[in-house]
Amino acid sequence: IRIGLGYDSHRFADDRRLVVGGVQVPDARGLAGHSDGDAVCHAVTDAVLGAAGLGDVGGLFPDTDPAWKDADSLVLLRDAFSRVAAAGWHLGNLDVVVICHRPKIGPIAGPMRASLAEALGSTPDRISVKGKTPEGTSAIEDAMIVHAVALLDRG
Amino acid sequence: IRIGLGYDSHRFADDRRLVVGGVQVPDARGLAGHSDGDAVCHAVTDAVLGAAGLGDVGGLFPDTDPAWKDADSLVLLRDAFSRVAAAGWHLGNLDVVVICHRPKIGPIAGPMRASLAEALGSTPDRISVKGKTPEGTSAIEDAMIVHAVALLDRG
Amino acid sequence: IRIGLGYDSHRFADDRRLVVGGVQVPDARGLAGHSDGDAVCHAVTDAVLGAAGLGDVGGLFPDTDPAWKDADSLVLLRDAFSRVAAAGWHLGNLDVVVICHRPKIGPIAGPMRASLAEALGSTPDRISVKGKTPEGTSAIEDAMIVHAVALLDRG
Ligand SMILES: [Mg+2]
Ligand SMILES: [Mg+2]
Ligand SMILES: [Mg+2]
């Protein structure tokens, strides 16, 4: 059994579509980033790679590589998890905290759990996505901050 | 076995009593919030709910609901954990990091471990509460930030 | 089995050598602090102490104690982990996230994993160190922020 920790942060930006946890959110400002800016997928990717000791998202998919420009981060997560699975691990469970003012996370937690479960070869009951607002405790509130923990199991 | 992650942040405010981890701290500024502002209880509630895949504190006890105005967050934690226990889980262990300038966490860690243990049907030896100061790395230092991880076990 | 969570933050400072995860990084600004300012070692120390329920780095090695002035934090980690081991625990695995602009974490992750493994009586394959940049989401970017999770096992 292994645990992993993921973190990511992106600022919101104009003229970007919002994709979080692989879910497109209409009528919302998107996130800046070399890829699609999906901070949830990036944090989850780091959590499962870290648990398996297989590096991190920045090493596998460098943001200096034109190949990942505007990349679909759910595809990157699927690719990363295939390496984790090839090393003999499967997902025990995943818990994610998303800190932002908007969008509200509750209404999109279900679709995110479904898309993350699919990418991780798991089921939504083993995936949790929870939302928090910054409550005036951050100087840069126009951002999304994501923390994730993952448990991997073998056999 | 399942792991969960909790996070919460509240700003300090005048004319509020300080309650952290269910412990009243005399002669200290309190925390803003719809409930009693107990950021430790809120982060711990999210950690155990997240591990069990049972949602989050904002979904169960919305801060738009007058029922939770000035609520005792230790009661909310006990309520949330009863759902976790009803799903067949018990607490393996809990580790909490509290980031703030004041109060000093060391002297109140013992009482917090006792009150959290009681709410979680566990014992203080399975509960850890650690303090850190922001060390000038946050722009908004007049706040309490809490991170928590929980391990749940079955059988 | 037990899980622990560690967090630390230090500002960069002039006229300090940079030591992270026990690794000296030449030609880089160092971190402010009473000890050598090794935020990675401090967060890892708190993660393993928290998992074992044995307190925290601030309690064991107070920054008001002249004994720890400019202390080698890898030595403190080794000392702390000897208490964890004496309580019957060994490291399952450790995952660390280091958030900073500089230094780049990828090139020094290998040496950090080796030094942390040695201090924790483990092997580098059970240690992961991942880097992130703040991406403009923090007001105080001239700092290093570290999050760590540890899994302890018995028998
Ligand atoms: Mg990212
Ligand atoms: Mg709260
Ligand atoms: Mg420190």
Side-chain angles (χ1 to χ4, degrees):
Chain A
I1 208 162
R2 296 285 170 92
I3 58 172
L5 180 65
Y7 173 88
D8 199 24
S9 64
H10 286 255
R11 290 186 80 138
F12 286 99
D14 295 322
D15 302 318
R16 295 275 294 179
R17 285 190 311 171
L18 180 63
V19 187
V20 273
V23 174
Q24 295 202 18
V25 183
D27 302 318
R29 290 178 79 213
L31 292 162
H34 180 69
S35 67
D36 59 6
D38 189 334
V40 168
C41 278
H42 298 171
V44 170
T45 302
D46 266 1
V48 296
L49 287 172
L54 292 174
D56 60 24
V57 69
L60 291 187
F61 313 109
D63 63 8
T64 50
D65 186 336
W68 317 122
K69 177 101 176 73
D70 296 320
D72 179 341
S73 297
L74 196 67
V75 171
L76 305 187
L77 172 58
R78 207 177 283 126
D79 179 325
F81 193 74
S82 72
R83 300 166 195 233
V84 172
W89 299 103
H90 63 264
L91 187 76
N93 80 295
L94 171 73
D95 192 13
V96 182
V97 178
V98 183
I99 307 164
C100 62
H101 282 294
R102 296 175 178 283
K104 280 195 161 291
I105 298 304
I108 57 173
M112 280 198 267
R113 293 168 71 187
S115 70
L116 293 170
E118 182 275 324
L120 296 167
S122 187
T123 48
D125 62 297
R126 290 177 178 270
I127 314 265
S128 159
V129 180
K130 313 189 305 295
K132 295 299 287 185
T133 55
E135 310 234 356
T137 61
S138 168
I140 315 285
E141 300 235 326
D142 192 31
M144 179 180 283
I145 310 279
V146 183
H147 297 267
V149 291
L151 190 66
L152 298 182
D153 208 344
R154 223 183 241 292
Chain B
I1 208 160
R2 295 286 169 91
I3 57 171
L5 180 66
Y7 173 88
D8 199 24
S9 63
H10 286 255
R11 290 186 81 136
F12 286 100
D14 296 323
D15 301 317
R16 296 274 294 178
R17 284 192 309 174
L18 181 62
V19 187
V20 273
V23 175
Q24 295 201 18
V25 184
D27 303 317
R29 290 177 79 211
L31 293 163
H34 180 70
S35 67
D36 59 4
D38 188 335
V40 168
C41 278
H42 297 172
V44 171
T45 302
D46 266 2
V48 295
L49 287 172
L54 292 173
D56 60 24
V57 70
L60 291 187
F61 315 109
D63 64 7
T64 50
D65 186 336
W68 316 121
K69 177 101 176 74
D70 296 323
D72 178 342
S73 297
L74 196 66
V75 172
L76 305 187
L77 172 58
R78 207 178 283 126
D79 178 326
F81 193 74
S82 71
R83 301 166 195 235
V84 172
W89 299 104
H90 62 264
L91 187 76
N93 79 297
L94 170 74
D95 192 13
V96 182
V97 178
V98 184
I99 308 164
C100 62
H101 283 294
R102 294 172 179 284
K104 281 200 161 286
I105 297 305
I108 56 172
M112 280 199 267
R113 293 168 71 187
S115 69
L116 293 171
E118 183 275 326
L120 296 168
S122 187
T123 49
D125 62 296
R126 289 179 179 269
I127 314 263
S128 159
V129 180
K130 313 188 308 291
K132 296 298 289 184
T133 55
E135 310 233 357
T137 61
S138 168
I140 315 284
E141 301 235 325
D142 192 31
M144 178 179 285
I145 309 280
V146 182
H147 297 268
V149 292
L151 190 66
L152 297 181
D153 208 345
R154 226 185 239 289
Chain C
I1 207 161
R2 296 284 170 91
I3 57 170
L5 180 66
Y7 173 88
D8 198 24
S9 62
H10 286 255
R11 290 185 80 137
F12 286 99
D14 296 323
D15 301 317
R16 297 273 293 177
R17 284 191 310 172
L18 181 62
V19 187
V20 274
V23 175
Q24 295 201 19
V25 183
D27 303 317
R29 290 178 79 212
L31 293 162
H34 180 69
S35 66
D36 60 4
D38 188 334
V40 168
C41 278
H42 297 172
V44 171
T45 302
D46 266 2
V48 296
L49 287 172
L54 292 173
D56 60 24
V57 70
L60 291 187
F61 314 108
D63 64 7
T64 50
D65 186 336
W68 316 121
K69 176 99 176 74
D70 296 322
D72 179 341
S73 297
L74 196 66
V75 172
L76 305 187
L77 172 58
R78 208 178 281 127
D79 179 324
F81 193 74
S82 71
R83 300 165 194 234
V84 172
W89 299 104
H90 62 264
L91 187 76
N93 79 295
L94 171 73
D95 192 13
V96 182
V97 178
V98 183
I99 307 163
C100 62
H101 282 295
R102 297 176 177 280
K104 281 198 161 289
I105 298 305
I108 56 173
M112 281 199 266
R113 293 169 70 187
S115 69
L116 293 170
E118 183 275 325
L120 296 167
S122 187
T123 48
D125 62 296
R126 289 178 178 269
I127 315 262
S128 158
V129 180
K130 314 188 306 294
K132 294 299 287 184
T133 56
E135 309 234 357
T137 61
S138 168
I140 314 286
E141 301 236 325
D142 192 32
M144 178 180 285
I145 309 278
V146 182
H147 297 268
V149 291
L151 191 66
L152 297 182
D153 208 345
R154 224 185 239 293

